[in-house]
Amino acid sequence: SKFIGVTRSGGANGQGVIYSVTSGGNYQLLGSFSGIAGNQPGASPSTGLLKHSDGNFYGATEFGGVEDFGVFFKIGG
């Protein structure tokens, strides 16, 4: 099994990361949030991830986006 998660801080920009971990303990960094206002990746994920029936994961950030009030994001499952 493969588990997907996010952190609120850390990563290349200090604004959180997206990662996966297998049941065997193999870790893979999938990406870093940018922390730049106006940039869709946003910063500081503020929710856990929800898995939709379409196989994708969805979440929200506290910062980033056009007005720096956060964004919704999708991670392919």
Side-chain angles (χ1 to χ4, degrees):
S1 295
K2 182 172 152 181
F3 304 93
I4 307 282
V6 294
T7 65
R8 285 189 53 81
S9 61
N13 303 300
Q15 301 297 322
V17 300
I18 303 166
Y19 63 91
S20 68
V21 177
T22 66
S23 57
N26 294 322
Y27 169 85
Q28 180 180 8
L29 178 65
L30 301 176
S32 292
F33 289 90
S34 71
I36 301 169
N39 192 344
Q40 286 305 307
S44 300
S46 58
T47 66
L49 298 175
L50 297 173
K51 187 168 185 180
H52 190 271
S53 60
D54 65 5
N56 294 309
F57 293 88
Y58 294 85
T61 66
E62 186 173 353
F63 303 105
V66 176
E67 299 290 329
D68 202 26
F69 292 123
V71 298
F72 290 105
F73 61 90
K74 174 176 82 170
I75 302 168

